[in-house]
Amino acid sequence: MIRRLALLITLFFTIAKTFSQQSTATKQVSTFMIEAPQLKATKKIWIYLPKNYTTSKKRYPVIYMHDAQNLFDAKTSFVGEWNIDEKLDSLNAQVIVIGIEHGNEKRIDELTPYKNAKYGGGNADNYLDFIVKTLKPEIDKKYRTKTNTKNTGIIGSSLGGLVSYYAILKYPMVFGRAGVFSPSFWINPEIYTLMENTPKLKAKIYFLCGDNEGEGMVSDLNKMDLLIADKRCDCTNMTKTKIIKGGQHNEKLWRDGFVKAYIWLF
């Protein structure tokens, strides 16, 4: 009896593990590999196409997103996926999403603009050069995209939020919309000086964070908000800041906030 019980328990966990490892990405999602000479690496790219892409001749806006392992598939996610494909499918969203896998141990390096004395990093210039000069031309060549600034967005969380904000400062003629979720401004406070020296900010920005992410998150976001107010063009409704009561620094916060950010940005 004990043997049978042990066998059943083993079988249960084996089945549970098997199911937990099954892919949850929808048929709208595919992947490909591309050389990234700027990073001296080969990058895995995930692409989401709208449900009507194959039956339509129209062109679509494009969102570039970081940490692709966590966007579409529970099998590859570290602590839960964002369900980007299911959420966009439910909206019948007319947008293409390009997810760029992070470089694992090189993640901090790729997603930080400046070197931090404690954590290192500082290779975001090469990472963004890869997106702008290698990846985007390839996407625009292979898919029916709207290539202009207004129809090109970038979204990320934590370090991905930091590098997304940096992207609209470095490449204002490429990225016209940004979703900046729980940005790690603390690791690179030089971003504030860069913002102060930016002549004019034209991009549409959606900030998201939780009030339970740590004592510096909300104040850091408010500080950047004030700098943006000084640099904004005369247009209205170009920046939105959403602070979630009880929200923590995790995939749930970003997953739950994605749809509202997408709708507001696009």
Side-chain angles (χ1 to χ4, degrees), residues 146-177:
K146 293 182 178 179
T147 62
N148 62 351
T149 307
K150 181 181 178 181
N151 288 290
T152 305
I154 189 164
I155 296 177
S157 63
S158 194
L159 292 177
L162 168 67
V163 79
S164 294
Y165 191 78
Y166 183 63
I168 62 174
L169 301 183
K170 183 177 182 184
Y171 288 106
M173 302 308 293
V174 176
F175 301 106
R177 302 170 191 270

Side-chain angles (χ1 to χ4, degrees), residues 86-120:
E86 291 92 347
K87 289 179 182 296
L88 292 178
D89 278 353
S90 70
L91 296 172
N92 194 27
Q94 302 299 288
V95 68
I96 293 172
V97 176
I98 305 298
I100 305 137
E101 286 206 355
H102 62 69
N104 296 306
E105 72 279 357
K106 294 183 179 178
R107 181 175 182 267
I108 291 179
D109 208 33
E110 292 176 353
L111 301 184
T112 52
Y114 309 98
K115 187 172 183 178
N116 179 278
K118 183 176 180 180
Y119 298 103

Side-chain angles (χ1 to χ4, degrees), residues 65-80:
M65 298 184 69
H66 321 286
D67 299 323
Q69 292 97 321
N70 295 339
L71 300 180
F72 307 103
D73 199 341
K75 185 177 181 179
T76 60
S77 65
F78 178 59
V79 284

Side-chain angles (χ1 to χ4, degrees), residues 18-36:
T18 299
F19 276 103
S20 70
Q21 289 178 342
Q22 289 181 341
S23 174
T24 59
T26 67
K27 63 181 181 180
Q28 307 306 122
V29 177
S30 60
T31 64
F32 66 92
M33 306 298 292
I34 186 172
E35 290 300 315

